Amino acid sequence: PNDFGKSARAAMGGYGSGRQWGQATTSDMRRLDIRRLQRDGLLKPGRAFGWQWTRNGTEVASIQMRMELDRVILNYRSRSHGGEWQAMEYPVTLEWTPCHLGGRRAWFRCPARGCGRRVAILFGGSIFACRHCHKLAYPCQRETDDDRAARRADTIRRRLGWEPGILNGEGGKPRGMHWRTFERLRAEHDANANASLLGIARRFRLNIPGLG
């Protein structure tokens, strides 16, 4: 789809996610989040378990992990550009830091050659590595000004309980919200929605009545 299609979907259905035009973003990639593994009690030496990624309820990728003392062994298959599958198995060092209220927090050390950054998330490619090694941007870094305005408008819509998407019309005042707060939020929403639509119109040379 072209850029206008992406912008239109964001306006109709809420701010989009995933790959923005240009550089890949963190939301494009499969991720291993050590905070989730620690929260689920999986970082114990001797534990072996599988992890799956799904899309619409269907498994699209999986990995096997085996815990050792202060490291985890990753085992999976990888291929590039439709080539042959290759078996991948390598260790990722873990590091532990104390928490202010007691206990310890786990971190990955990025296994990419020459890196070793301490990170909470590794992103899958031919190897699992940190955001910097994969040259990933955060989605917000790839936003245009009108994308950013649409996202801000949708944040307000969620707070007000309105349907996502700046073209979907306004709802009413949430029960229990003061009128002054509601009017302020509605004014902020309208300003951001108009800025987003004006940006889209200018970018694609469209004539949208009421915008100037």
Side-chain angles (χ1 to χ4, degrees):
N2 58 27
D3 292 354
F4 174 68
K6 296 174 184 176
S7 296
R9 285 199 304 275
M12 289 297 295
Y15 180 73
S17 63
R19 190 182 193 116
Q20 306 294 313
W21 42 92
Q23 183 180 4
T25 70
T26 54
S27 60
D28 297 325
M29 310 289 283
R30 299 182 184 105
R31 58 175 61 196
L32 285 177
D33 191 329
I34 200 167
R35 296 166 296 188
R36 173 72 182 276
L37 300 181
Q38 185 173 14
R39 190 164 56 245
D40 290 352
L42 299 174
L43 302 182
K44 298 177 181 178
R47 289 291 301 268
F49 54 93
W51 199 264
Q52 296 82 36
W53 291 271
T54 61
R55 183 182 298 120
N56 298 325
T58 301
E59 181 180 317
V60 294
S62 64
I63 188 173
Q64 298 297 314
M65 289 179 271
R66 184 175 75 253
M67 300 303 306
E68 297 182 354
L69 183 63
D70 292 333
R71 70 177 194 170
V72 56
I73 309 299
L74 305 184
N75 190 315
Y76 59 97
R77 294 195 307 157
S78 176
R79 66 175 176 176
S80 298
H81 308 294
E84 295 294 325
W85 288 98
Q86 294 185 343
M88 305 291 291
E89 184 174 37
Y90 54 91
V92 177
T93 300
L94 305 183
E95 184 172 321
W96 301 83
T97 58
C99 299
H100 292 300
L101 300 179
R104 299 189 303 164
R105 178 178 177 180
W107 303 86
F108 291 122
R109 283 288 186 181
C110 176
R113 182 175 299 176
C115 184
R117 283 183 176 88
R118 189 175 71 183
V119 294
I121 298 174
L122 296 177
F123 297 92
S126 57
I127 68 167
F128 279 82
C130 70
R131 178 178 69 88
H132 302 277
C133 289
H134 281 303
K135 296 181 172 59
L136 301 175
Y138 291 114
C140 63
Q141 293 176 289
R142 301 275 71 83
E143 289 179 331
T144 61
D145 289 342
D146 45 277
D147 288 332
R148 189 173 297 108
R151 177 169 57 83
R152 290 170 176 166
D154 256 346
T155 297
I156 296 172
R157 295 182 74 87
R158 286 195 297 272
R159 182 173 176 183
L160 295 175
W162 296 356
E163 182 181 0
I166 58 177
L167 297 184
N168 287 325
E170 298 184 359
K173 181 181 75 69
R175 185 175 182 180
M177 178 176 286
H178 293 297
W179 275 104
R180 179 177 297 178
T181 301
F182 173 68
E183 294 295 347
R184 175 179 58 81
L185 291 174
R186 183 164 65 178
E188 292 177 10
H189 167 271
D190 290 349
N192 280 294
N194 287 336
S196 177
L197 292 173
L198 182 59
I200 294 172
R202 286 174 174 169
R203 184 146 50 103
F204 298 101
R205 299 179 181 178
L206 304 175
N207 182 20
I208 301 180
L211 294 178

